Amino acid sequence: MIAIGQYNDLRIIKKTEEGLILTEGEKEVLLPYVDVPQNVEIGDNLNVFVFMQKDGRLQATTKKPYACVGDFAFLTVVDEAEDGGAFMDIGLGKDIYVPKREQKRPMFKGDKHVVYVFLDESNDRMVASSKLVNYVEEEEIDLEEADEVSLLIVDRSDLGYNAIIDNKYIGLLYTNELFDELNPGEIRKGWIKKIRVEGKIDLSLQPMGYGHILETKDVLLADLKESGGVISLGDKSSPDDIYYRFKISKSAFKKAIGGLYKERLITISDHEIKLLVDHEAE
C-alpha cells in the first residue's frame, strides 16, 4: 500500500510522455522526468516521496520535503488564500495548505510557524495546522524523567517556551530556568524535568540527575587546575555569570561545588571557590 505524504520504495514499470510510472504492485504513481535520477531502467526500485495532486492523481518526487505526514515542522507562509487559508512552502515546489480553521492565529505571507502535517480525509491531500495541541500525544506518554529528548521550539507563552518533544509530545521550558535566547523553529537537545499527573511535561535544556552532577564536578576540578586553583564564582554568584562560564544552572553548580566541598577538595565563599593545596599538588 502506498503511503501518501511519506517516502515509498516503488518499482519502475513503464515510461510515458510525462515521466516514469512507478508502483508498489497495486496503484500507479507518476514520477515526472524532471525528478528522474540518471541511469535508471524499467524494473529498478526508487525511494520517492508521494503526494496527491489537485486532480486526484498520485505523484512522486525525488525532492526532499521539509516534513512528512505526521511531522511537526517550522514552515514559511508563501501566499494567502481568499478564504482565509494560507499556503506554506514545504520544499516540493508544491505548497501545503493551512485551512483558516486550523490556524491558531491568522497567517500572513512571510510569517513562519510550527505546524503539524496531516492528510485531509476528504481528498488525501496534505494539509497543515498550527493548532498543535490537537495533534500531540497526551495520554500514553512514553517518557521518563531525566530522559534526553529532541526539542522543536514552538513559541513563547506567559511562563516560558512551548516545545515539541521527539515529534510527538508538547512540553514547557520555564523562562526563569533559561539562560539562552530561544527562537521558534530551533532544534535543541533537552531533558525531561518532570511529568505531571495531568500529563503536562516540564523540560530543561540541561541534563538531569546525579550523573550530570558527577560530570560537572569533573569539569569544575579541571577548570580550577587550569585557573591556578581559583574560580571567581561562588555561593552568591549570579545564575547568568555561572551559565556564561560553565553552561549550567546555578542549582547544578551549587550541587557540584557542594559535593566537592564535602570531599574536602575545595573551599567555598560567596563569590569564589578555591582548590585545596593538597589536591592542587596532584
Side-chain angles (χ1 to χ4, degrees):
M1 182 177 178
I2 291 176
I4 301 172
Q6 303 284 354
Y7 291 97
N8 294 257
D9 288 316
L10 303 178
R11 182 168 51 88
I12 304 171
I13 57 171
K14 60 184 175 183
K15 297 181 180 180
T16 68
E17 291 184 357
E18 296 180 281
L20 302 181
I21 300 300
L22 314 178
T23 186
E24 92 292 19
E26 296 182 12
K27 294 183 178 180
E28 294 186 352
V29 182
L30 172 68
L31 177 65
Y33 282 118
V34 68
D35 286 335
V36 175
Q38 294 182 348
N39 304 318
V40 295
E41 302 290 342
I42 292 176
D44 289 349
N45 287 335
L46 290 177
N47 184 256
V48 292
F49 183 82
V50 176
F51 59 92
M52 185 71 74
Q53 286 281 40
K54 288 183 179 179
D55 59 10
R57 291 191 302 167
L58 290 175
Q59 183 169 319
T61 179
T62 51
K63 295 184 177 74
K64 304 296 183 185
Y66 301 142
C68 297
V69 165
D71 286 343
F72 294 88
F74 189 56
L75 304 180
T76 302
V77 178
V78 292
D79 203 359
E80 300 165 32
E82 292 182 359
D83 62 3
F87 294 94
M88 306 189 86
D89 178 16
I90 198 168
L92 295 176
K94 166 189 166 54
D95 302 324
I96 189 170
Y97 183 60
V98 187
K100 184 178 180 179
R101 67 179 182 277
E102 292 290 346
Q103 297 176 26
K104 183 178 179 181
R105 63 177 185 271
M107 293 183 172
F108 302 101
K109 187 175 181 179
D111 289 349
K112 295 185 177 182
H113 301 268
V114 174
V115 295
Y116 178 75
V117 179
F118 63 102
L119 289 183
D120 185 329
E121 293 180 356
S122 67
N123 55 24
D124 280 340
R125 289 172 59 188
M126 294 171 63
V127 290
S129 174
S130 60
K131 294 183 177 180
L132 308 184
V133 293
N134 294 338
Y135 299 96
V136 293
E137 179 64 57
E138 294 183 309
E139 295 182 0
E140 297 182 9
I141 299 178
D142 187 21
L143 294 170
E144 294 182 2
E145 293 180 10
D147 279 356
E148 181 180 318
V149 292
S150 174
L151 303 178
L152 169 60
I153 307 302
V154 176
D155 56 17
R156 186 164 189 166
S157 70
D158 292 338
L159 296 176
Y161 287 85
N162 296 305
I164 295 296
I165 307 164
D166 287 348
N167 199 48
K168 192 172 182 180
Y169 312 99
I170 194 165
L172 181 66
L173 291 156
Y174 288 91
T175 302
N176 62 353
E177 298 176 1
L178 295 174
F179 304 94
D180 276 356
E181 184 80 21
L182 295 180
N183 297 294
E186 277 189 80
I187 303 293
R188 289 292 194 104
K189 182 190 295 185
W191 285 265
I192 303 300
K193 181 180 179 183
K194 186 177 183 62
I195 301 175
R196 300 183 179 275
V197 176
E198 65 274 23
K200 303 292 185 181
I201 303 174
D202 295 345
L203 300 168
S204 173
L205 292 182
Q206 297 164 32
M208 311 299 293
Y210 189 65
H212 175 51
I213 301 304
L214 291 175
E215 180 181 329
T216 303
K217 286 165 61 176
D218 291 339
V219 170
L220 291 175
L221 276 176
D223 196 287
L224 276 164
K225 291 178 182 178
E226 293 176 5
S227 304
V230 180
I231 293 177
S232 299
L233 293 171
D235 256 346
K236 294 188 178 179
S237 295
S238 74
D240 288 346
D241 289 342
I242 292 168
Y243 190 83
Y244 180 79
R245 180 153 183 172
F246 292 111
K247 296 296 184 290
I248 59 173
S249 68
K250 182 169 182 177
S251 174
F253 176 77
K254 291 188 71 172
K255 287 178 183 177
I257 63 174
L260 294 174
Y261 178 79
K262 287 179 181 178
E263 295 173 31
R264 299 183 180 180
L265 300 178
I266 64 170
T267 59
I268 303 172
S269 60
D270 287 349
H271 297 282
E272 186 178 80
I273 58 176
K274 288 184 178 181
L275 191 65
L276 288 177
V277 177
D278 288 347
H279 191 76
E280 189 173 7
E282 295 177 11

